Amino acid sequence: MLKKIIVLMLALAMVLSLGLVGCQRDEEPVVVDEPEDKQEDKPAEPVADKYGGVVRVATWSSPPGVFHPHLYTDHYDALALSPMFDAMLKMTPDLEFIPSMAEKFEVSEDSKTLTFWLKEGLTWHDGEPVTTADVQYTFEMIADPGYTGPRYADIMAIEGVVEFNAGEADHISGIKIYDDLKISITTKEIYAPALADIGGRAIIPKHIWSGIPVAEHAEQTEMLRNPIGSGPFKMKEFVPDQFVHLEAFEDFHEGRPYLDGFILQVANQDTSQAQLIAGELDFMEISNIVQDEIDLLESEGIVVEKVVSRGFQYMGVNTRLEVFENPLVRHAFAHAINRQGIVDSLLEGNGVVANVPLAPISWAMPDASQINQFPYDPEKAIALLEEAGWEYKDGTMYRDGEPVTFTLLYPPGNKVREKSAPLIQQNLGDIGIAIELEIMEFGTLVERTFNTHDFELFLMGWGLGVDPDSTSIWHSDAAGLGGWNVVGFINDLNDELLEKGTQFLAIEDRKPIYHEWAINWNKYMPSIPLYSTIEARAYTPRLRGLQVHSFGNYYNLHEWYFAE
Amino acid sequence: MRKYIIRRLLLIIPVLLGISIIIFSLIHAMPGDPFAHLIDPNMTPEDKDRMLEAVGYFDPLPVQYLRWVAGAVQGEFGHSIRFKEDVLKVMWPRIQNTFVLSLSAMIFSTLLAIPLGIISATKQYSVFDYIATVAAFIGLSIPVFFFGLMLIKFVAFDLGLFPIAGMQTVASGYTGWQLLVDKARHLVLPTLVLGLASTASLMRYTRSSMLECVKQDYIRTARAKGLSERVVIYKHALRNALIPVITILSMQIPRLISGALLTETIFVWPGLARLSFQAVMNRDYPMIMGTVTVMSIVVMLSNLFADLMYAVLDPRIRYQ
Amino acid sequence: MINKDENKLVNNKNVENKTMLKGISPWKIAFSRLKKNKLALTGLVVLSILIFLAITADFIAPHGRDHIDLFNVNTAPSSEYLLGTDELGRDVLSRLIFGGQVSLSVGLIATSIALVIGVMMGAIAGYTGGLVDNAIMRIVDIVMCFPFFVIAIVIASILGPSIWNVMFVIGALSWTGLARIVRAEILTLKEKEFIEAAKSLGLEGHEIITKHLLPNILAPILVFATLGIAGAILVEAGLSFLGFGVRQPQPSWGNMISAAQSMTVLRLRWWQWIPPGLLIFITVLSINFLGDGLRDALDPRLKQ
């Protein structure tokens, strides 16, 4: 009896001492560093001092481990890929493309041919030289008939890709190798996103992959898990469901990164702030800002940088259904939903109301005065619906004598979006439209919307690329089953402008086209844009030299360093 | 005895077959496909169809099922769609992690529950008994994730006693003893959360089993012989009382393995249940089949083990 | 303390003796036993209050269940909102009261489903025996092997998100234990004389089961049912945490705490997580106390 109690007490003591041991060890470095932390704007430190340290970045789900820039299908793999792979061009925080692996590049007179000169002495992580043959191989791998990844549509604009894919040619005719360093790539038509889709394409090593038929690439687990790239960090250790550990690539062409390592660490979104404060993490993205959370982080000395998101949230409307055919109905919805209220209360001001399907920072965004703002106005909404032939009686909206009810589908996951659903329900209820809410898991929602068009209203968001070209989302060609024009927007002017928009390379030439396109879209409003959020990046104050922006965090990852 | 074991092992086959057919039908009845999460404007529906075809999505279901069974019989569970890796290889480290966590929870709850249960029973209706009983009920009544979040908030965050999440400090460079301590510290809170409910129910069982034994005739005989109360309780009553307890203990195994999902989610513990959950969310069909099969086999083996222990410990029971 | 207990014991014996004389059913005995179990009684009283609140929710809730007030988001308790508001400015107290309706009915209905399936399967298997018994027991084995949450989520996403489906899923996966108990009890009862007698009288199988067998095993069924309700409430909370329980805007205690699972809420807004957490806890605790009391009261072996 007594023995048992003693054993028990010993066990308890052990548990407690584990806690205490760890406690002491964890606190040590923090105490040492604290006085340094306050000196935010110190003059440039001597370069030698910047080297060292490992940054731990939060990810909400484990990368499955398909570390191949053209075969991965999981967003979380991309987080680990971007430090490991490099492209000929890269995008600056001002959204301009500048040379990365390329020394320089040229655009031909007719704007169809891009010529790149690679830097001399570039090497892969395994020490082999990077040549134009690798560039050619990258595109031929994607164009290969046996290719199983999702990136084929990105490169179809290149001359000869379709023929190569059909097995009619040995090489892509539009890609011309001059020597080991000079290569040119020609598109069939002028292709506006060429700089991003061609210049910004991650290059993969030919010497690693060319020995294996493309159709079997996805099965080469060992090679996918131990990728060879040319980016600033290379693979050190991948422990699925826990972390991806990358280490500095000594021969990176812009110089060895200051950091010794980069770790992508799986964390729980609900407890990660606590981990950041406790020093278990160094950097994380916050997609939905909660002011109290930001206050807490900042009071603990964490740096919080806000950036505008690169997308928007919307309520999709199935315009194929007769009841939603009339644009007045959609306008009425836009007036009825208190979108400013969502921004003010649910987002605590960290967002803007959206009226066109573009990222708020895009150059394609027309001036606010040119588009209808659809301010919150339930009376106007009722008036518009009555104009469309609906009837409003005693707080209920009737159409052909029947009370109007719709089902709004939405997925869990994004907390603000989840909360906006009952708000929209209440807003539409105020103009007499009964809304049935149906929350469903993402895969199911995709089946109901994109794959079968079996829906009335739904909530979702788009994260957009840098280029405003939205042909794949809004062109009538994409309105079929499985296409991204899920709301079924069919409009001739819309198609025409989208097609015209990609036929110029210079932003100045494209701007007026996209402005007109956005104004036209806003006029028909095939779905109701709700808001674009302001996001945040939070990181430990010891971490310096970051240049984060809406479209990426790792633009200058090799220049990040820890202040000591 | 040997015949009995063989018969029980053979019985596993039809049950496994039944499970696999039901699960297979259910997961394919779920709306969605393995690439539903790929909402990428640069991808065309044709791209997606090509990718789905490459993983055999469009083959008739019976064909897919037979293909799976044919592989499974040879120990090949196919290739995970999401991980692009052999299902068994993906599962193996998770099985180990799950094993560590559930073993630790089991040891914790056994060490705590059995002594407490015995004391409770020997001092029936004492203050200690009341407190222990109420405490056990409290343990049974707290939602698991709620308890976990409270521990994270108060113990890990406010007091800083233990790490908040994960299995180890990443890239710590620890070796030997330090590494062990680090891993042990990460294990403490998940163990408490996972072990809570089993501790409570195990304690209740120990108590009532013990109470029942104390009333038996042979205990009365032992007392009548003039043996000291200590000898009576710990030598005679305890041994018999523990037989049903051991059965209960082995019946906890399935709960510790598949029921660990909430614990694994809160503490970002890379175990089998979370793998299975994510496979469902991603419609990674081969992965779901693999994880469910493994969990089912573990459940059946632990049930068999429970029955065998019963037979070994209780001489009155004979299996044919 | 000990004296008191002994007194009670004596009193109780007297009561029992009297009732025996009057020839009153074992149910009365059980009830009188239950009455002296303080914990069980407390559980019963608390439960009755909660059930009363849930039934009268429409009359006593101070605000509308889903009424959103964007000007009063996340406000602390005040005279207007006695337990503060949530992130949409909805009144926490009103949602707790309506949430009780949902949580309690999920518990009750899910358990009823489990009860129907479990008793039916167990009774048929135990009474018929042979091939049928074997087949049913294999089904029980299969369902027992299912990893609960994973299968629950698969079924939930096939059926779609409604509160009825949540009840069905929980019920359909938790009947196996009961089926085994019922089968075992029936196997032993089957050999008893009165069943032989009933058979020789030419009664049909289903009549024997429903009229003679089941009434004799009501006790374990009742205990299972009580504890099952507690389990179902906890399971619903767990499913909510994973995003597959009762869906917003309909409140359940489970989805109310899981909506408040962030560090910020835990730190700054106690009124959003303590009350639903406490209510689940108190309810489950009360049911467990009651169930345990019932078990003791109905156990024929525990003769006083």
Side-chain angles (χ1 to χ4, degrees):
Chain A
M1 165 88 195
L2 197 61
K3 239 190 239 165
K4 284 246 163 65
I5 291 183
I6 291 173
V7 169
L8 209 72
M9 282 170 66
L10 276 177
L12 271 176
M14 262 171 65
V15 169
L16 286 176
S17 64
L18 282 177
L20 294 176
V21 170
C23 194
Q24 284 158 1
R25 202 189 44 231
D26 276 0
E27 268 167 16
E28 230 170 321
V30 178
V31 173
V32 175
D33 293 333
E34 229 154 49
E36 301 272 332
D37 290 346
K38 309 296 171 209
Q39 309 169 2
E40 276 284 346
D41 293 312
K42 215 159 75 167
E45 296 175 43
V47 168
D49 290 354
K50 292 184 175 177
Y51 287 101
V54 176
V55 67
R56 291 158 302 172
V57 175
T59 169
W60 311 132
S61 177
S62 172
V66 184
F67 299 130
H68 187 301
H70 311 310
L71 287 178
Y72 83 88
T73 52
D74 192 296
H75 164 70
Y76 297 100
D77 275 333
L79 297 180
L81 279 167
S82 67
M84 286 192 286
F85 284 86
D86 201 356
M88 293 187 288
L89 307 182
K90 67 176 173 183
M91 194 178 58
T92 67
D94 303 323
L95 313 186
E96 272 179 80
F97 280 93
I98 60 166
S100 182
M101 287 215 290
E103 179 77 51
K104 58 174 183 172
F105 72 101
E106 251 178 36
V107 182
S108 65
E109 285 286 306
D110 65 359
S111 298
K112 287 188 192 172
T113 303
L114 294 167
T115 308
F116 302 91
W117 286 265
L118 293 180
K119 283 178 182 164
E120 271 180 70
L122 289 173
T123 60
W124 294 105
H125 292 159
D126 61 359
E128 294 290 318
V130 179
T131 69
T132 46
D134 293 314
V135 178
Q136 183 190 38
Y137 178 74
T138 299
F139 289 97
E140 291 188 349
M141 181 256 169
I142 300 172
D144 192 280
Y147 174 65
T148 51
R151 299 272 81 94
Y152 177 63
D154 286 7
I155 64 159
M156 276 171 76
I158 299 174
E159 203 177 279
V161 160
V162 177
E163 291 76 8
F164 183 81
N165 183 258
E168 293 161 11
D170 293 338
H171 288 290
I172 298 172
S173 59
I175 298 180
K176 203 163 146 196
I177 292 184
Y178 294 87
D179 55 43
D180 274 359
L181 299 180
K182 184 183 174 193
I183 188 168
S184 71
I185 299 177
T186 307
T187 52
K188 285 178 284 192
E189 310 284 333
I190 295 176
Y191 182 59
L195 291 184
D197 281 356
I198 296 170
R201 181 147 307 274
I203 303 301
I204 54 169
K206 181 178 182 181
H207 69 279
I208 299 284
W209 289 102
S210 62
I212 300 163
V214 174
E216 290 163 27
H217 282 193
E219 290 153 29
Q220 307 304 315
T221 312
E222 274 308 301
M223 293 164 70
L224 295 171
R225 290 288 161 84
N226 299 289
I228 300 293
S230 58
F233 287 88
K234 59 181 183 181
M235 177 58 75
K236 183 174 182 196
E237 190 188 8
F238 169 48
V239 181
D241 273 357
Q242 294 192 49
F243 59 86
V244 186
H245 188 175
L246 311 180
E247 62 184 348
F249 175 37
E250 298 289 337
D251 300 323
F252 183 58
H253 60 84
E254 296 193 44
R256 181 202 190 271
Y258 292 136
L259 295 169
D260 288 340
F262 174 98
I263 289 174
L264 201 59
Q265 187 176 331
V266 182
N268 180 335
Q269 220 161 341
D270 299 322
T271 55
S272 57
Q273 315 92 306
Q275 281 192 291
L276 190 61
I277 293 167
E280 290 178 28
L281 285 170
D282 299 313
F283 181 97
M284 68 181 216
E285 290 193 12
I286 301 174
S287 47
N288 287 322
I289 294 183
V290 177
Q291 198 51 47
D292 287 331
E293 206 172 285
I294 303 296
D295 292 345
L296 168 68
L297 289 172
E298 285 182 335
S299 74
E300 297 281 342
I302 303 294
V303 182
V304 180
E305 242 183 274
K306 290 187 179 176
V307 295
V308 181
S309 83
R310 61 200 186 89
F312 63 95
Q313 296 290 327
Y314 66 97
M315 179 172 84
V317 181
N318 195 349
T319 61
R320 295 174 192 84
L321 302 176
E322 191 240 329
V323 44
F324 295 128
E325 256 173 17
N326 191 340
L328 287 177
V329 174
R330 278 117 59 182
H331 290 178
F333 285 176
H335 277 297
I337 297 171
N338 188 355
R339 297 177 297 159
Q340 191 61 48
I342 296 178
V343 169
D344 291 343
S345 60
L346 295 189
L347 293 170
E348 300 180 290
N350 291 304
V352 285
V353 170
N355 282 302
V356 289
L358 289 166
I361 51 165
S362 172
W363 50 259
M365 187 70 106
D367 193 72
S369 62
Q370 292 176 286
I371 48 178
N372 194 337
Q373 299 294 320
F374 300 103
Y376 175 55
D377 189 347
E379 314 271 301
K380 177 111 185 251
I382 294 172
L384 285 173
L385 287 176
E386 281 174 337
E387 199 184 325
W390 300 23
E391 245 182 303
Y392 185 70
K393 242 186 352 212
D394 308 326
T396 308
M397 188 65 73
Y398 294 90
R399 185 171 183 272
D400 302 332
E402 295 288 319
V404 181
T405 61
F406 298 119
T407 305
L408 175 64
L409 315 177
Y410 63 107
N414 179 327
K415 284 191 179 169
V416 172
R417 181 169 59 205
E418 246 178 275
K419 288 184 236 162
S420 70
L423 192 64
I424 291 171
Q425 180 186 39
Q426 177 158 321
N427 284 160
L428 292 177
D430 289 343
I431 60 165
I433 298 176
I435 295 291
E436 182 103 2
L437 294 181
E438 214 175 296
I439 186 168
M440 48 180 58
E441 183 232 352
F442 199 80
T444 313
L445 180 62
V446 168
E447 185 75 18
R448 287 280 298 271
T449 53
F450 293 101
N451 295 355
T452 56
H453 296 168
D454 175 23
F455 68 98
E456 290 173 327
L457 305 170
F458 70 96
L459 297 181
M460 225 187 250
W462 276 115
L464 299 171
V466 185
D467 199 283
D469 172 32
S470 306
T471 311
S472 56
I473 306 181
W474 298 112
H475 196 281
S476 57
D477 285 352
L481 287 180
W484 301 126
N485 187 351
V486 54
V487 298
F489 183 40
I490 316 268
N491 177 284
D492 290 341
L493 181 61
N494 175 67
D495 284 359
E496 188 191 318
L497 290 168
L498 282 173
E499 284 158 22
K500 205 167 139 198
T502 60
Q503 288 165 10
F504 300 88
L505 221 45
I507 288 180
E508 282 321 305
D509 297 330
R510 300 176 71 199
K511 239 184 198 169
I513 302 169
Y514 283 101
H515 287 180
E516 198 188 338
W517 169 73
I519 291 164
N520 180 60
W521 191 97
N522 174 265
K523 195 166 105 191
Y524 288 98
M525 199 155 257
S527 59
I528 320 299
L530 299 170
Y531 57 88
S532 291
T533 55
I534 291 172
E535 303 174 343
R537 316 279 188 255
Y539 53 90
T540 162
R542 292 168 54 228
L543 192 60
R544 307 282 167 84
L546 298 75
Q547 284 192 43
V548 296
H549 61 94
S550 299
F551 293 92
N553 300 327
Y554 307 138
Y555 161 68
N556 67 335
L557 184 58
H558 62 287
E559 290 171 339
W560 290 19
Y561 66 97
F562 279 109
E564 280 306 334
Chain B
M1 187 74 174
R2 179 184 292 163
K3 259 192 195 157
Y4 173 75
I5 295 179
I6 292 172
R7 201 171 60 101
R8 284 286 302 260
L9 285 175
L10 284 178
L11 262 184
I12 287 183
I13 296 170
V15 174
L16 264 185
L17 219 58
I19 291 174
S20 67
I21 290 177
I22 294 175
I23 304 282
F24 191 88
S25 328
L26 281 178
I27 61 180
H28 281 91
M30 271 195 296
D33 60 66
F35 299 111
H37 287 76
L38 213 57
I39 303 289
D40 181 340
N42 291 331
M43 208 181 86
T44 60
E46 292 77 38
D47 283 334
K48 190 168 155 182
D49 284 351
R50 209 159 26 76
M51 290 162 66
L52 287 173
E53 205 177 319
V55 297
Y57 179 78
F58 295 116
D59 298 343
L61 285 185
V63 174
Q64 289 190 42
Y65 177 72
L66 289 178
R67 194 164 54 208
W68 184 83
V69 173
V73 171
Q74 302 163 39
E76 281 174 24
F77 289 87
H79 223 67
S80 156
I81 297 169
R82 180 159 178 263
F83 292 88
K84 304 253 188 295
E85 188 175 11
D86 186 76
V87 166
L88 273 181
K89 271 195 188 151
V90 178
M91 281 195 293
W92 182 236
R94 272 75 160 191
I95 294 176
Q96 291 170 307
N97 297 339
T98 293
F99 180 75
V100 169
L101 179 57
S102 38
L103 187 71
S104 149
M106 203 159 143
I107 293 175
F108 163 76
S109 63
T110 313
L111 284 185
L112 197 63
I114 293 186
L116 286 181
I118 294 170
I119 301 173
S120 249
T122 50
K123 303 190 171 164
Q124 200 185 4
Y125 301 132
S126 69
V127 179
F128 181 90
D129 183 28
Y130 270 115
I131 294 176
T133 302
V134 173
F137 276 123
I138 291 176
L140 282 173
S141 310
I142 299 183
V144 171
F145 66 94
F146 187 60
F147 182 58
L149 283 172
M150 306 263 279
L151 283 184
I152 289 180
K153 155 93 172 75
F154 293 111
V155 180
F157 185 64
D158 290 351
L159 297 176
L161 286 181
F162 297 103
I164 294 160
M167 262 192 85
Q168 64 193 77
T169 307
V170 176
S172 55
Y174 294 146
T175 48
W177 178 243
Q178 272 185 319
L179 185 70
L180 206 67
V181 171
D182 182 59
K183 289 199 167 175
R185 293 184 64 235
H186 281 84
L187 193 56
V188 175
L189 296 186
T191 300
L192 286 179
V193 172
L194 187 58
L196 178 75
S198 356
T199 309
S201 66
L202 199 60
M203 201 192 112
R204 299 285 302 151
Y205 274 112
T206 312
R207 179 179 178 273
S208 58
S209 167
M210 195 74 189
L211 280 178
E212 209 149 295
C213 273
V214 175
K215 291 192 190 100
Q216 301 291 330
D217 292 341
Y218 62 88
I219 296 294
R220 218 172 290 156
T221 319
R223 279 200 181 118
K225 278 198 300 192
L227 292 175
S228 78
E229 189 63 19
R230 226 203 172 104
V231 175
V232 171
I233 298 289
Y234 291 103
K235 210 159 165 211
H236 296 261
L238 184 57
R239 182 185 288 171
N240 291 295
L242 282 185
I243 295 172
V245 171
I246 284 169
T247 318
I248 296 296
L249 203 60
S250 27
M251 277 164 65
Q252 302 271 6
I253 296 173
R255 240 185 41 203
L256 289 175
I257 289 172
S258 66
L261 178 58
L262 296 173
T263 312
E264 288 178 5
T265 306
I266 298 164
F267 291 101
V268 198
W269 189 272
L272 195 60
R274 212 156 69 95
L275 182 70
S276 191
F277 175 67
Q278 283 166 351
V280 170
M281 302 304 283
N282 288 297
R283 311 285 191 269
D284 190 345
Y285 304 118
M287 199 75 238
I288 309 176
M289 294 303 288
T291 49
V292 172
T293 308
V294 168
M295 289 195 254
S296 311
I297 292 177
V298 173
V299 174
M300 283 184 284
L301 289 182
S302 55
N303 283 346
L304 175 59
F305 178 75
D307 291 350
L308 290 181
M309 285 306 278
Y310 209 74
V312 170
L313 289 171
D314 191 337
R316 284 169 302 180
I317 296 172
R318 283 275 170 268
Y319 290 99
Q320 284 147 14
Chain C
M1 173 131 191
I2 292 167
N3 276 340
K4 241 171 89 197
D5 271 357
E6 270 175 7
N7 276 338
K8 264 196 176 166
L9 262 172
V10 175
N11 283 339
N12 204 57
K13 259 185 191 156
N14 289 339
V15 173
E16 252 180 53
N17 286 340
K18 276 180 205 158
T19 51
M20 295 282 244
L21 284 175
K22 284 183 198 159
I24 282 176
S25 75
W27 291 102
K28 275 259 163 88
I29 304 173
F31 187 69
S32 72
R33 275 194 199 150
L34 190 66
K35 265 200 302 198
K36 79 172 183 68
N37 183 332
K38 268 184 269 171
L39 288 180
L41 223 67
T42 320
L44 191 63
V45 171
V46 172
L47 266 183
S48 314
I49 296 174
L50 289 171
I51 291 172
F52 174 78
L53 288 179
I55 291 172
T56 56
D58 285 310
F59 308 103
I60 56 169
H63 294 267
R65 189 190 82 177
D66 300 335
H67 185 264
I68 295 169
D69 180 358
L70 285 185
F71 296 106
N72 282 302
V73 171
N74 291 325
T75 53
S78 62
S79 54
E80 167 77 3
Y81 297 107
L82 287 177
L83 273 178
T85 59
D86 69 2
E87 10 169 55
L88 278 170
R90 296 175 295 201
D91 180 40
V92 172
L93 179 60
S94 308
R95 289 180 72 72
L96 279 176
I97 296 173
F98 281 102
Q101 242 175 17
V102 174
S103 288
L104 290 172
S105 47
V106 166
L108 273 172
I109 296 176
T111 308
S112 314
I113 295 172
L115 222 55
V116 170
I117 307 178
V119 169
M120 218 164 69
M121 292 294 217
I124 295 174
Y127 185 78
T128 323
L131 207 62
V132 177
D133 180 25
N134 238 317
I136 289 180
M137 288 329 280
R138 289 300 79 72
I139 296 175
V140 170
D141 282 346
I142 290 175
V143 177
M144 270 187 134
C145 280
F146 285 160
F148 183 88
F149 279 112
V150 171
I151 299 305
I153 287 161
V154 170
I155 300 178
S157 58
I158 295 173
L159 296 179
S162 91
I163 178 172
W164 303 107
N165 292 339
V166 172
M167 295 168 180
F168 170 76
V169 168
I170 298 175
L173 289 175
S174 42
W175 55 269
T176 49
L178 182 64
R180 286 193 160 182
I181 298 173
V182 171
R183 173 177 173 272
E185 295 278 340
I186 288 198
L187 278 181
T188 50
L189 278 180
K190 209 163 69 166
E191 311 301 323
K192 296 267 161 73
E193 285 155 14
F194 70 98
I195 298 299
E196 292 295 321
K199 269 189 196 158
S200 57
L201 281 173
L203 284 180
E204 297 272 338
H206 68 266
E207 281 175 308
I208 297 179
I209 292 179
T210 50
K211 290 205 179 124
H212 298 280
L213 288 174
L214 289 185
N216 279 295
I217 53 169
L218 260 182
I221 295 177
L222 200 64
V223 172
F224 172 90
T226 341
L227 300 178
I229 295 172
I233 292 175
L234 286 181
V235 166
E236 190 277 321
L239 280 174
S240 284
F241 175 76
L242 295 170
F244 288 87
V246 173
R247 305 300 177 89
Q248 297 272 3
Q250 191 165 37
S252 76
W253 293 335
N255 72 22
M256 285 177 78
I257 3 175
S258 54
Q261 55 186 288
S262 81
M263 270 294 146
T264 320
V265 177
L266 285 182
R267 238 169 34 91
L268 300 171
R269 299 178 207 141
W270 60 268
W271 60 92
Q272 287 178 9
W273 61 274
I274 292 185
L278 216 56
L279 275 173
I280 293 189
F281 173 62
I282 292 176
T283 311
V284 175
L285 194 62
S286 308
I287 299 175
N288 278 334
F289 280 153
L290 183 63
D292 199 57
L294 275 178
R295 184 183 1 234
D296 287 350
L298 295 171
D299 191 342
R301 284 172 299 178
L302 286 180
K303 290 269 159 56
Q304 306 259 349

